[in-house]
Amino acid sequence: MIRLAARTLRFRAGGFLAAFLAMLLGAAMVMACGGLMETGVRTSMEAGRLADADVVVTGDPGFDVPNMGYTAVLTERVRVEADLVDSIGAMPGVAEATGRVFDDPAPPGTVDAVVVVAAPDADVDRLHEDIEAALPEGAVAYAGDRRGLAERPEALTGSEALVSLAGVFGAMALMVSLFGVASMLALSVRQRHRELALLRAVGGTPGQVRSLVLGETLILATVAALVAVLPGRWLGAFILQGLIDAEVVTEGVRFHLGWIPTLIAVASALLAALGGAYVAGRRAAGIRPTQALADAGLPERRPIGVGGVLVGVCLLAGGTALAIVTMTALSGLYASATGMPAAVVWAIGLAAISPLLTRPLAAVLQWPLRALTGQPGRLAMLNARASIDRTAAVVAPVVVLCGTATGVLYMQSTDREAALQAYADGLKPDVIVTAEQGVTPELRERISAIPGVSGASDYARSAGYLEQPPEDSYRWDAWSLQGVTPEGIGAIVPITVTHGNVADLHGDAVALNALEAAELGVDVGDSLAVRMGDNRSRDLEVVALFAADDDYDTMVLAADVLAEHTTAGRVTSVLVAADGTVPVDELMAEIANRTAGLSGVAVHDREALFTMFAETQRTQHFATYVIVAMIVAYSAISVVNALASSTVARRREFGLQRLTGSTRAQVLRMLTVEGLLTALIGIILGSLSAGVTTVAFSVGRADTLFPSGSPVVYAAVAGFAVALSLLATLLPGWWATRHRPVQAAAAM
Amino acid sequence: MPVLEATVDRAAAVALTNVSKTYGRPRRAVTALDAVTIGFARGAFTAVMGPSGSGKSTLLHCAAGLDRATSGAVHLDGQDIGGLDEKQLAMLRRDRIGFIFQAFNLLPALTVTQNVLLPLELAGRRPDRGRLSEILHRVSLGERGRHRPAELSGGQQQRVAIARALITEPAVVFADEPTGALDTRTARDVLTLLRETVQDAGQTIVMVTHDPAAASYADRVVFLADGRLAGEIREPTAEAVAEQMTRLGAWADDGRGGVGSRGRR
């Protein structure tokens, strides 16, 4: 059958274009994800300032989370003892070992890295191994293209994000690819049903017809996967650059796509395509041989089957379950994890049963459309309603397009709004003062003394892990650590202390959420062991408990204590709360005035803090855009494919219409109205799907029925759907009517 | 049903015994074939005629294993095909049966040669080059082996279909309105070709048609009306066939009876 498949493909290359594009897109996406994953795993970097080193030794940023079997990457620079410089320098094969401190001053007795230059005759790989073996606990040695990690350990955090992102993208790409390929192949099978029936009539077994479809797909998918290697590489590098621009991935990380991920990507793209072909092949194998004898070439009426309704209802039920989980989940923070899949599943489910909904919607829409469009509109309505299945086939991808794109984009804006709101609620400063050299008590006091200031607090942030008491194993995420000055805390962080006293927040002290404390079984006076961001452990005594939401997993520490464990090693900002007696801009001017003599001091308004915060959120946003772009691309191919092929198949009908007196312009006008109707039905159903899931998301995430976001997004999605439908009808319509009507009517 | 079986000629290439075919749900069933018992003799050219809706196409579908009879038995070359599954039926069709349809007989992607060899290829059998060129020659397409269907006229396409039907040396060739889409002159050529394969090679042919002129090429014409046998004519002439059709009410209002005829050879 593979020979027959090859001949068919060669003959109807154009008919397989859509399926090919779908496979190409899927394969390129999978390839890109493979590359991103390898990039994340290898984290090879430009050596930067360490280009002269053969081996670099630095602190190990990995922390084995207790009970998890999982190594977390810490957020701050992990330094090594300065003694290491001498002990490494004394090792055989080392020409020179020097301690290096990068940007921020290292605490006494430590260095950021030990730069090792190998002796001229030494084998660098061997030396690397020897040094690694000789290193004490908590230090690592990098060589080759990982040397840059010593300067920018944060690249490892980015790599972690990259690996999980690539995994999620890859899985979605494969899923969408499977459905995309299945639907394109199903259309190509439908278009050729007489041919396949003929094959059955002259002795092709159902199995042979199935293997014909599989064979075609195998050839097509192999070519697509091979062609996808280069675009996949570009796409991967492009996404990496996007992530670097969004500061998710550290500048200097190099894109890597080796042959193993390439092979795996090719294999999984092939498997996804074959999975799609299996679905389409089953349908092809079910074609009755007598269909070859049917006298006309008209597509058979294919009302939606029981199976289709069942699949649609199951998907809708699944999507609703996801939406309910989203709505009622304990923590709003995880709403995206179920909300976005809910939007996709609902849209696909609604698309599956859209043949049932298209007819009533067309009946309702006919009145306004007729009134607006006159005669061509009447004919278009008759056509659309007479061949409701054809209309429904085009409506389905529009539903998926609108439902997912609108749903996912509005969930994202709702999420961003909610996160900003939570951040704003959690932090009440009106002015932020930054000091590059570090905040001195004197600076803070000077600010506190200004009239109109109700409080001023140092502010530092980091992240860490709880070592004692042991936690339940569900926590993968780090605790957020906030450093404040106890005297000013009341004006800065809106917490209500329930036990203990925040004024005691000096030295090795910590305050935490009363709910979390209850879960951990600790109370005021108990001690916690916390692994700080620089991989040093610190025992902290609980001095206060406060009331907050259960997902406020923040420990509040003294700012100077926390700063010791950060890369900067010092506190660089002061948060200032106003008492309302002086307008904020006047207050800012006064602070600027009083601190004018100090170098490196700058005064910002509240927005600056949010801007900084919003930037840290870009990871997810960029990921969302890529996913939406992919879904849009697949739906666009489906819409164009379905519309264009059905329009071209109607050549004869257009010819007859023109023979009976329609002008070409009238035919095209009629097609315009049909395209509009199709787009409108799709948009209505898509909006229904997006509406249901987005409201559920909004309730779960932000406790409000109204999702946030700009109406421009909706207008853009709807406009895109309309433009796509019209383009995909009118272009082939124009092409199909280019001949004289007599020829067209006689064709076929 | 021993009594009925006895009435069927078991030596026939195709034998239908008490075959009924109904479509649709039990309550609103439409009976297309109503207990038809008929045999098609080996080496004979039989035409099946009847007005639209008389069940003649259904008869062909059931006899050829394209469709399953609701009840009754179909024997093809002595084999009961009632118990065969889809795969076995497909294999039976490619080995024992040739098909010629009214139109859309050929796969547009394949050349003439590839179309003719399709049943052999589906069976995984190696084509006999000599036999291929002999058959192409017989249908006067010796020079056109590399052409695609789109490059051929309607008559030429039907001749390719005949070549494909004959390539496996089938027990029976079923033709469904093989001249329905052709002009009179081309139709005559195609029918003559079919007639010759019966006469020269002893091929069994069963042809469904509504054209008395086409039917007159057969050795025997059987008539169907409302799913039942309605008489037969041996050694038919177009006039006799047309007369019988008129009697069956086939052309009550469109006066298509007056089709050109031919003299018996």
Side-chain angles (χ1 to χ4, degrees):
Chain A
M1 290 320 281
I2 204 85
R3 260 168 66 195
L4 188 56
R7 289 172 191 158
T8 316
L9 280 178
R10 226 173 18 215
F11 182 70
R12 332 182 138 243
F16 288 97
L17 184 65
F20 181 77
L21 281 179
M23 290 174 195
L24 184 65
L25 187 62
M29 196 67 203
V30 174
M31 205 85 68
C33 291
L36 289 176
M37 196 166 275
E38 192 190 355
T39 303
V41 169
R42 293 174 72 118
T43 323
S44 82
M45 294 195 59
E46 286 158 18
R49 284 187 275 178
L50 295 165
D52 52 338
D54 290 310
V55 177
V56 183
V57 173
T58 187
D60 184 357
F63 167 62
D64 296 325
V65 183
N67 307 330
M68 284 301 303
Y70 160 70
T71 303
V73 178
L74 297 165
T75 51
E76 312 290 340
R77 184 183 297 290
V78 181
R79 299 184 164 97
V80 289
E81 300 294 323
D83 309 348
L84 265 182
V85 177
D86 291 336
S87 60
I88 292 173
M91 287 178 66
V94 174
E96 194 192 356
T98 40
R100 182 83 60 98
V101 173
F102 298 109
D103 300 310
D104 297 300
T110 65
V111 290
D112 286 353
V114 181
V115 172
V116 180
V117 177
D121 56 344
D123 174 356
V124 174
D125 289 342
R126 182 74 195 278
L127 182 65
H128 180 204
E129 280 169 29
D130 290 348
I131 293 177
E132 189 114 273
L135 284 179
E137 180 99 0
V140 287
Y142 295 127
D145 54 11
R146 283 173 74 86
R147 286 168 300 174
L149 281 176
E151 187 182 345
R152 297 164 173 274
E154 66 273 19
L156 283 172
T157 316
S159 293
E160 232 185 6
L162 199 56
V163 170
S164 58
L165 210 74
V168 172
F169 276 15
M172 276 200 67
L174 283 176
M175 250 170 55
V176 178
S177 172
L178 196 146
F179 289 118
V181 169
S183 74
M184 315 277 171
L185 287 176
L187 186 68
S188 114
V189 164
R190 203 150 61 225
Q191 283 168 346
R192 297 186 290 152
H193 79 280
R194 286 196 76 189
E195 248 180 273
L196 296 173
L198 177 67
L199 200 61
R200 291 276 287 109
V202 300
T205 62
Q208 282 177 318
V209 171
R210 196 180 308 129
S211 38
L212 173 70
V213 175
L214 280 176
E216 288 165 0
T217 309
L218 194 65
I219 297 173
L220 220 52
T222 309
V223 176
L226 294 179
V227 172
V229 170
L230 263 189
R233 185 173 284 274
W234 293 329
L235 190 62
F238 170 77
I239 296 176
L240 183 67
Q241 191 54 50
L243 292 171
I244 288 175
D245 291 345
E247 289 170 29
V248 178
V249 174
T250 310
E251 181 97 53
V253 170
R254 286 203 209 99
F255 185 71
H256 252 280
L257 177 53
W259 62 273
I260 292 180
T262 305
L263 270 188
I264 293 174
V266 167
S268 27
L270 278 182
L271 275 181
L274 288 178
Y278 177 76
V279 177
R282 275 173 54 100
R283 177 174 301 194
I287 289 177
R288 307 270 328 150
T290 43
Q291 285 173 350
L293 292 78
D295 34 318
L298 294 172
E300 81 270 47
R301 268 187 67 78
R302 204 178 48 88
I304 180 169
V306 181
V309 175
L310 213 63
V311 168
V313 169
C314 285
L315 283 169
L316 283 180
T320 307
L322 280 171
I324 290 173
V325 170
T326 309
M327 217 153 69
T328 56
L330 285 176
S331 166
L333 287 175
Y334 302 111
S336 304
T338 48
M340 290 191 182
V344 178
V345 173
W346 239 81
I348 296 178
L350 209 53
I353 61 163
S354 65
L356 291 180
L357 306 171
T358 303
R359 187 185 299 276
L361 275 173
V364 171
L365 286 172
Q366 65 172 320
W367 303 110
L369 271 178
R370 264 194 207 181
L372 289 173
T373 54
Q375 185 272 333
R378 273 201 298 282
L379 200 49
M381 285 303 154
L382 290 177
N383 280 336
R385 298 183 65 193
S387 53
I388 206 77
D389 302 320
R390 186 178 63 207
T391 312
V394 186
V395 164
V398 181
V399 175
V400 175
L401 171 75
C402 289
T404 19
T406 321
V408 168
L409 288 174
Y410 277 101
M411 281 180 196
Q412 179 190 299
S413 50
T414 305
D415 186 55
R416 178 169 47 200
E417 193 59 38
L420 272 177
Q421 195 58 48
Y423 187 69
D425 289 347
L427 218 52
K428 297 239 171 211
D430 299 294
V431 181
I432 299 104
V433 180
T434 55
E436 268 178 35
Q437 316 296 326
V439 175
T440 57
E442 193 262 331
L443 171 67
R444 187 188 340 116
E445 276 151 28
R446 203 191 282 189
I447 295 169
S448 303
I450 296 171
V453 170
S454 71
S457 167
D458 290 5
Y459 185 65
R461 287 183 66 151
S462 183
Y465 290 85
L466 193 58
E467 290 181 293
Q468 280 297 334
E471 286 190 82
D472 286 345
S473 54
Y474 66 82
R475 184 191 284 279
W476 284 72
D477 287 340
W479 283 77
S480 158
L481 306 179
Q482 298 208 14
V484 298
T485 313
E487 291 74 33
I489 185 175
I492 310 300
V493 187
I495 56 176
T496 314
V497 175
T498 56
H499 279 89
N501 189 349
V502 278
D504 296 337
L505 206 57
H506 287 287
D508 293 329
V510 64
L512 73 158
N513 188 343
L515 288 172
E516 298 269 12
E519 214 164 282
L520 292 168
V522 298
D523 206 338
V524 172
D526 290 342
S527 182
L528 305 178
V530 178
R531 181 68 67 129
M532 308 299 276
D534 62 351
N535 217 354
R536 285 192 288 161
S537 198
R538 188 142 189 166
D539 290 331
L540 302 170
E541 190 194 327
V542 178
V543 295
L545 301 180
F546 53 81
D549 282 351
D550 57 354
D551 50 11
Y552 191 72
D553 49 354
T554 298
M555 293 189 195
V556 181
L557 283 72
D560 53 341
V561 171
L562 183 58
E564 282 175 32
H565 297 278
T566 62
T567 302
R570 58 191 186 273
V571 179
T572 55
S573 45
V574 178
L575 304 187
V576 183
D579 62 9
T581 56
V582 179
V584 170
D585 46 350
E586 280 178 32
L587 189 62
M588 283 176 65
E590 185 58 23
I591 295 172
N593 195 21
R594 301 262 183 123
T595 56
L598 304 169
S599 81
V601 173
V603 182
H604 313 274
D605 64 2
R606 186 180 165 84
E607 293 302 316
L609 211 57
F610 294 143
T611 312
M612 275 156 53
F613 176 72
E615 276 174 8
T616 64
Q617 283 231 310
R618 279 190 296 194
T619 335
Q620 200 198 333
H621 298 166
F622 187 74
T624 312
Y625 289 136
V626 175
I627 290 173
V628 168
M630 204 171 88
I631 292 170
V632 165
Y634 267 107
S635 321
I637 297 176
S638 301
V639 171
V640 170
N641 191 28
L643 267 177
S645 62
S646 80
T647 308
V648 170
R650 291 167 67 193
R651 261 200 315 269
R652 188 151 182 257
E653 175 195 331
F654 300 151
L656 283 174
Q657 208 178 324
R658 287 164 71 198
L659 281 178
T660 49
S662 284
T663 64
R664 190 178 181 193
Q666 275 173 321
V667 172
L668 290 178
R669 266 207 298 281
M670 175 195 83
L671 281 176
T672 309
V673 180
E674 286 188 40
L676 268 178
L677 177 75
T678 310
L680 267 181
I681 297 176
I683 290 169
I684 291 174
L685 291 177
S687 306
L688 173 70
S689 157
V692 169
T693 51
T694 314
V695 167
F697 179 85
S698 181
V699 169
R701 179 71 179 93
D703 294 324
T704 158
L705 277 174
F706 306 100
S708 1
S710 159
V712 175
V713 172
Y714 183 74
V717 173
F720 180 74
V722 169
L724 196 68
S725 307
L726 287 185
L727 195 76
T729 331
L730 288 181
L731 265 183
W734 174 81
W735 185 81
T737 52
R738 76 200 186 290
H739 292 305
R740 301 175 65 93
V742 182
Q743 283 172 310
M748 311 194 53
Chain B
M1 297 176 286
V3 182
L4 283 170
E5 287 231 12
T7 67
V8 175
D9 178 7
R10 295 297 298 267
V14 185
L16 280 70
T17 312
N18 214 14
V19 168
S20 294
K21 175 73 184 177
T22 52
Y23 291 105
R25 295 181 185 156
R27 286 256 179 95
R28 287 180 292 162
V30 177
T31 303
L33 281 185
D34 191 0
V36 171
T37 298
I38 190 174
F40 298 104
R42 286 182 206 280
F45 187 172
T46 311
V48 179
M49 289 205 74
S52 308
S54 61
K56 56 187 191 298
S57 283
T58 308
L59 176 82
L60 181 110
H61 295 173
C62 291
L66 288 171
D67 210 345
R68 285 168 198 282
T70 311
S71 65
V74 176
H75 286 85
L76 202 140
D77 213 12
Q79 183 187 6
D80 184 352
I81 67 170
L84 304 182
D85 64 17
E86 280 295 326
K87 184 178 174 185
Q88 289 166 325
L89 280 175
M91 287 159 71
L92 174 87
R93 286 197 295 271
R94 74 185 173 209
D95 292 336
R96 314 294 305 136
I97 301 174
F99 282 102
I100 305 159
F101 303 124
Q102 174 174 358
F104 204 78
N105 261 303
L106 310 175
L107 291 183
L110 305 186
T111 63
V112 165
T113 304
Q114 289 163 348
N115 262 296
V116 170
L117 293 177
L118 187 59
L120 294 181
E121 185 159 347
L122 288 171
R125 272 155 62 187
R126 185 170 282 281
D128 177 344
R129 287 281 147 193
R131 167 124 183 103
L132 172 69
S133 72
E134 179 209 319
I135 286 186
L136 282 181
H137 199 74
R138 199 194 305 169
V139 299
S140 319
L141 287 169
E143 308 299 309
R144 302 237 168 210
R146 291 177 177 279
H147 288 235
R148 286 241 160 72
E151 299 159 350
L152 303 179
S153 70
Q156 286 170 328
Q157 289 187 26
Q158 286 309 73
R159 296 214 297 271
V160 178
I162 293 173
R164 184 195 57 210
L166 296 177
I167 191 82
T168 56
E169 299 178 34
V172 54
V173 168
F174 289 101
D176 190 359
E177 305 272 12
T179 57
L182 303 178
D183 62 69
T184 318
R185 189 190 170 86
T186 317
R188 197 188 302 149
D189 294 345
V190 166
L191 288 163
T192 307
L193 183 59
L194 289 178
R195 175 77 241 164
E196 281 166 10
T197 62
V198 174
Q199 240 157 17
D200 305 346
Q203 181 65 55
T204 309
I205 297 182
V206 177
M207 173 177 76
V208 164
T209 182
H210 65 258
D211 177 3
S216 67
Y217 285 77
D219 300 315
R220 169 191 176 214
V221 181
V222 295
F223 293 89
L224 274 183
D226 295 330
R228 293 181 196 178
L229 288 177
E232 66 168 75
I233 301 177
R234 291 187 184 268
E235 306 286 315
T237 62
E239 289 75 14
V241 173
E243 197 179 312
Q244 174 75 359
M245 285 295 277
T246 311
R247 211 171 305 141
L248 291 173
W251 300 305
D253 44 22
D254 67 5
R256 277 176 67 191
V259 192
S261 175
R262 68 174 179 117
R264 294 292 303 174
R265 286 171 309 265

